[in-house]
Amino acid sequence: MGLKVDNVLSYRGRIISVVFIAVIYLFIRGIAIMYFGRALYPFPIPVLIPLVIAWYFGKQYDKYVHLSMRDTLTGLYNRRYVLDKFPRVMTYVNRRKLNIAILLLDVNEFKAINDNYGHDYGDQVLEHLSKILCKSFGQKDIIARWGGDEFLILSTFSDEKLVINKINQFKNEIKREDWQHKSDISVSIGKATYPLEADSLKDLMAKADSNMYELKMSGKQMNATKSEESMLH
């Protein structure tokens, strides 16, 4: 399912394009052998140029697909990808009798951070958080920028302790990070569980958002400078 932030393109478009051209070439070559008794060229020189062109256009397609499902600032998956992927994740966990933890993360007072230190610094905060999320969560977790200063994590599990451990690792990594203006950096995370608490992404998001809001109001946040444990719904 998805995964660490990277800039590696899929080869799907290139492979399909090259295979398509190769099949056409082999078909034409077969016709030539059938009617002329031999191929027009012993070495497929005429096909090299179409193969190169096919590879080029296949790569452009791969770039388009990659960019369409990634957030441009952080490199994380975007909302479109999550909406497309979630039904398949549900099918996966239902078949294997697993659960999905929906984690909604929000940067506290992000507007104030932008106003006080500038939007460039605000972008740096989001990029740092993205890297910490990727370091803290597993390769099978889907990590996405949901929009603005909100992040979404989908984590499948059989034992909820595994999810809690990842959250605790994330919290510790926030404190270890060498932030500028460290005292202003804190985040809140709300959690909801499929299928226990809801059976649709919309309802799960609403539950996670409600839990996150409760944490904000109670002051139980993950702060870059505080050592006390944060609570999680």
Side-chain angles (χ1 to χ4, degrees):
M1 284 177 289
L3 316 149
K4 296 284 185 181
V5 174
D6 58 54
N7 292 313
V8 178
L9 299 180
S10 164
Y11 280 84
R12 183 177 181 182
R14 280 164 282 185
I15 291 172
I16 291 174
S17 299
V18 169
V19 169
F20 178 72
I21 295 298
V23 168
I24 291 178
Y25 168 75
L26 291 175
F27 175 77
I28 294 175
R29 194 169 190 267
I31 294 295
I33 292 173
M34 181 184 300
Y35 283 95
F36 301 105
R38 64 182 181 84
L40 298 179
Y41 294 91
F43 182 76
I45 294 176
V47 81
L48 290 180
I49 294 177
L51 284 175
V52 170
I53 294 173
W55 181 267
Y56 172 79
F57 283 107
K59 186 174 183 179
Q60 301 314 303
Y61 172 82
D62 290 332
K63 285 182 178 178
Y64 171 79
V65 170
H66 180 82
L67 292 174
S68 71
M69 64 183 186
R70 296 282 180 171
D71 173 62
T72 54
L73 175 64
T74 64
L76 297 177
Y77 289 117
N78 58 22
R79 182 186 293 236
R80 174 192 290 181
Y81 178 83
V82 174
L83 294 175
D84 178 67
K85 193 76 173 178
F86 188 73
R88 284 177 274 174
V89 178
M90 287 178 60
T91 300
Y92 172 84
V93 299
N94 290 338
R95 189 166 58 244
R96 288 167 173 75
K97 301 187 184 304
L98 300 173
N99 305 283
I100 308 172
I102 307 291
L103 304 175
L104 185 62
L105 181 150
D106 175 80
V107 182
N108 298 315
E109 304 296 336
F110 187 67
K111 183 178 185 301
I113 291 174
N114 278 330
D115 290 344
N116 292 335
Y117 306 115
H119 288 275
D120 286 343
Y121 178 71
D123 287 348
Q124 290 175 28
V125 169
L126 298 179
E127 290 176 301
H128 278 292
L129 282 174
S130 302
K131 292 175 182 177
I132 294 171
L133 284 169
C134 291
K135 186 176 181 180
S136 304
F137 288 85
Q139 289 191 339
K140 291 186 178 180
D141 298 326
I142 296 176
I143 307 168
R145 185 180 178 195
W146 193 244
D149 61 325
E150 289 188 334
F151 297 85
L152 182 70
I153 302 97
L154 305 183
S155 183
T156 61
F157 67 93
S158 57
D159 184 351
E160 192 172 16
K161 290 180 181 178
L162 298 175
V163 178
I164 300 301
N165 288 340
K166 293 174 184 179
I167 294 170
N168 287 334
Q169 181 179 344
F170 171 72
K171 175 180 58 184
N172 292 331
E173 291 294 337
I174 285 180
K175 294 170 186 173
R176 292 191 192 105
E177 187 73 17
D178 184 22
W179 302 96
Q180 286 183 300
H181 315 296
K182 191 168 187 175
S183 61
D184 293 327
I185 304 297
S186 67
V187 301
S188 297
I189 294 182
K191 181 170 73 69
T193 303
Y194 171 87
L196 181 63
E197 295 178 281
D199 58 4
S200 71
L201 181 59
K202 180 179 178 180
D203 291 340
L204 288 163
M205 289 293 299
K207 179 65 175 176
D209 186 62
S210 175
N211 288 337
M212 182 177 67
Y213 183 76
E214 287 182 30
L215 293 178
K216 280 180 179 288
M217 294 300 99
S218 64
K220 297 173 182 176
Q221 303 162 352
M222 296 184 183
N223 195 294
T225 58
K226 292 181 180 179
S227 59
E228 57 265 25
E229 293 293 313
S230 300
M231 300 297 291
L232 183 72
H233 285 236

